[in-house]
Amino acid sequence: MTRALALALLSTLLVFTMAAPVGSGADIDRTAVDFQTPADIKWVRNAAGTNEQAVLFGDPSKPGPYVARIRWLPGNMSRPHFHPNDRFFVVVSGTWWMGTGEKFDPDSTVAAPAGSYVIHYGGKVHYDGAKTEETVIQVWGMGPATATPPRSADQVTRQLLST
């Protein structure tokens, strides 16, 4: 009977512990640990209407480290481009599709499902985006995070000859 009573008390304690509100009004030192809940994250849609970005840390347009989330809307992909610096990604939700090279060919892209880790190496041409579902990726790197379309050899030769 004592064992049954102990199990009953333990079960009751467990139920009350699990029912207790999380974060019951406790404060933390935000200079030591900072965070944003999903409701705190501010998304901004790009001018083309193809994705939304939320900067979580730093400023991707300036020198220095940054962290951002990008929400790709279904059916939208970037065109071939490259970045000056390496960029690191985690696919948070959905499937992110990636291709390489200067020829834009969405049918030849490779799927990176949620949970995937991806690196885009600086100076290497690629394109990416979402096909049939919304996809959220988290990116971090060193700014400025610019994107440059590739130039063909003919364009480079013409530019060199004109100078």
Side-chain angles (χ1 to χ4, degrees), residues 93-127:
S93 64
T95 302
W96 194 31
W97 296 86
M98 302 168 294
T100 58
E102 293 187 20
K103 181 183 177 202
F104 179 65
D105 183 9
D107 292 333
S108 70
T109 54
V110 174
S116 296
Y117 174 71
V118 177
I119 301 173
H120 285 177
Y121 294 106
K124 301 296 183 179
V125 178
H126 63 278
Y127 51 96

Side-chain angles (χ1 to χ4, degrees), residues 12-25:
T12 303
L13 180 61
L14 186 59
V15 167
F16 282 112
T17 301
M18 291 176 64
V22 176
S24 56

Side-chain angles (χ1 to χ4, degrees), residues 75-92:
N76 289 290
M77 296 194 82
S78 66
R79 295 307 182 261
H81 64 280
F82 64 89
H83 307 282
N85 303 319
D86 295 346
R87 294 165 43 119
F88 309 91
F89 301 84
V90 169
V91 181
V92 176

Side-chain angles (χ1 to χ4, degrees), residues 11-93:
S11 296
T12 303
L13 180 61
L14 186 59
V15 167
F16 282 112
T17 301
M18 291 176 64
V22 176
S24 56
D27 266 339
I28 62 169
D29 178 356
R30 293 288 186 122
T31 64
V33 176
D34 204 4
F35 67 96
Q36 295 179 43
T37 65
D40 295 332
I41 295 174
K42 305 289 187 262
W43 292 93
V44 177
R45 188 165 290 215
N46 70 349
T50 57
N51 66 48
E52 297 176 337
Q53 179 174 315
V55 176
L56 304 176
F57 177 82
D59 183 342
S61 69
K62 296 180 180 173
Y66 67 89
V67 178
R69 286 195 183 161
I70 301 170
R71 180 184 294 152
W72 284 94
L73 303 177
N76 289 290
M77 296 194 82
S78 66
R79 295 307 182 261
H81 64 280
F82 64 89
H83 307 282
N85 303 319
D86 295 346
R87 294 165 43 119
F88 309 91
F89 301 84
V90 169
V91 181
V92 176
S93 64

